[in-house]
Amino acid sequence: MPLSALLETDAPVLVFGASGQVGDAVVRRLLEGGRQVVAVSREARDGPAGVTWLQGSLDAPPPLPAGVGVVFSCGPLDNFARWYAGAAPGAHQVVAFGSTSAETKAASGDADERALAGRLLQAEHTVLETAARRGASATVLRPTLVYGVGRDANLTRIASLGRRLGWFPLPRGATGLR
């Protein structure tokens, strides 16, 4: 099913984090579905056809066009939640990427991991509550691990090492789930 079939409106789609690994894939799928995309990036960008690039960030957004029906957040959820709570994009639907770390690290023995889980849960709550208050629908997606296009910093390195060596070493006594 094309991504656009899941969207509630035919209005243009605003994508934050469009130049990142997840955002790039989201933009391509939206274009395949015939959607008009307004993409925000910290650096100036060109193309592809069907994408209007705006330079800015969530901390310093560019002027956004009126009439955007859906907003995608493909970057850090806590930054998006702050922006969304203070902005008035008028979108009827919000789709934001979070992380399974919101649940899996909540009871971690590592204080930094527990803090990350807390930030993610608070950001999810903010997005969902803000959307409800505005009468918009909101979906928070929690991918476990994002990989497959060679832009990640974990599985691509592991696969590269395995290809180079012809085998992959497993650490003795490792207890982690990764």
Side-chain angles (χ1 to χ4, degrees), residues 77 99 101-103 106 114-128 142:
L77 184 60
S99 171
S101 293
E103 291 292 331
R114 288 191 310 275
L116 170 63
R119 284 194 312 275
L120 288 168
L121 288 169
Q122 179 58 49
E124 287 180 6
H125 177 76
T126 298
V127 169
L128 296 171
R142 287 181 174 173

Side-chain angles (χ1 to χ4, degrees), residues 11-36:
V13 179
L14 175 64
V15 181
F16 285 101
S19 60
Q21 178 173 276
V22 172
D24 181 59
V26 167
V27 168
R28 280 188 278 114
R29 294 287 302 272
L30 290 167
L31 291 174
E32 288 169 8
R35 301 307 294 262
Q36 284 295 114

